[in-house]
Amino acid sequence: MVITVERPVAVRLVSFGYAHGRPVPDAHIVLDLRAHFGDSSAPCDFTDPESLVAETDGLPELVEGVIPVLAAFRSGCGAAAGDAPVAVAVAVGCADGRLAAGVAAAVRRRTDSRLVRVAVEHRGPGGRQGRGQGS
């Protein structure tokens, strides 16, 4: 039996830096970028975090791989449990938060708003937070 769900998935995507000493956000999926993608030692700069994704080998492919995973949550058995929205939390972390912010921004920009609605939260040093909304 195939279950189809017509409503979109609501995704809460949180980017953070492990070096800031805050706990890993509660999430269904945690992407830890530290060991496989390296980190920049430059200070956090959220003006163009997505450019870091394009410049880091493997990150564009990771972003493209995350999108179908998010859409797959539409078909899970919990999605058919009624009219409650299908919601998924994803945490993306790296040492300083810059790569994670870039991945979060890239995922939000590349999602099809008919399938996935993404709200992005960037957790910077000292508890600083910034938010962005998907379509």
Side-chain angles (χ1 to χ4, degrees):
M1 180 173 147
V2 175
I3 299 171
T4 59
V5 178
E6 298 302 321
R7 64 187 181 272
V9 174
V11 177
R12 178 176 160 260
L13 191 56
V14 180
S15 69
F16 68 99
Y18 284 92
H20 301 307
R22 299 176 74 198
V24 175
D26 288 334
H28 297 94
I29 301 167
V30 177
L31 301 173
D32 183 344
L33 307 178
R34 294 175 295 177
H36 298 287
F37 299 102
D39 274 316
S40 170
S41 59
C44 287
D45 177 7
F46 293 108
T47 57
D48 188 19
E50 229 181 306
S51 67
L52 292 172
V53 172
E55 297 168 5
T56 304
D57 291 340
L59 278 183
E61 294 82 3
L62 177 71
V63 168
E64 293 303 321
V66 167
I67 294 167
V69 171
L70 298 177
F73 276 84
R74 298 174 73 215
S75 301
C77 61
D83 293 332
V86 179
V88 179
V90 179
V92 184
C94 65
D96 67 6
R98 291 175 0 115
L99 288 175
V103 169
V107 168
R108 183 188 68 216
R109 189 172 60 80
R110 288 175 175 82
T111 54
D112 180 341
S113 63
R114 293 169 295 166
L115 299 177
V116 180
R117 292 190 183 129
V118 180
V120 177
E121 175 184 332
H122 302 293
R123 294 189 179 177
R128 207 180 40 176
Q129 294 183 358
R131 296 185 186 273
Q133 292 290 337
S135 301

